[in-house]
Amino acid sequence: MSKNNLSFFAKITIITAVFSLIFLLLLAGLMYTVHLSQSQISFGIFAIYIICCLIGGFLTGKKMKVRRFLWGLGFGSFYFLVLLLLSICFGSNVTENIRHILTVFAACTVSGLIGGIIG
């Protein structure tokens, strides 16, 4: 991976982080106004993961043009790792939620892969 590709990957990560924050703020607004249930909130967060990985995979695939599906898969995996590290830093017990973690990993990697293919 060249230095240009690495800096582009970092930019895409920042862009998807901004999208994540915007979508989370919208979800928080919905929580406040509509009083969503816990399952609706969980679904909304899961949808945000998928949408952001699709966006990141799409932008990465568009830039790389070769092996786009692998770049999208790589982006989805990287996004998941960032989420996992943030969860650990904020005190989440990862060993209790291994099924949920694997589900999120699958969703992030597959949606990143699909985004890369579309890109």
Side-chain angles (χ1 to χ4, degrees), residues 81-95 101:
L81 287 175
V82 169
L83 289 175
L84 184 64
L85 289 174
L86 287 173
S87 295
I88 291 169
C89 288
F90 287 109
S92 178
N93 189 353
V94 256
T95 57
I101 289 171

Side-chain angles (χ1 to χ4, degrees), residues 5-49:
N5 288 345
L6 193 60
S7 66
F8 176 77
F9 210 69
K11 288 177 188 175
I12 295 301
T13 304
I14 292 169
I15 289 169
T16 55
V18 169
F19 273 112
S20 296
L21 288 173
I22 291 168
F23 291 142
L24 286 170
L25 287 172
L26 290 171
L27 183 62
L30 280 173
M31 286 171 47
Y32 181 73
T33 58
V34 182
H35 305 291
L36 299 174
S37 69
Q38 181 64 37
S39 63
Q40 291 170 323
I41 294 167
S42 295
F43 177 78
I45 291 171
F46 196 73
I48 290 169
Y49 296 158

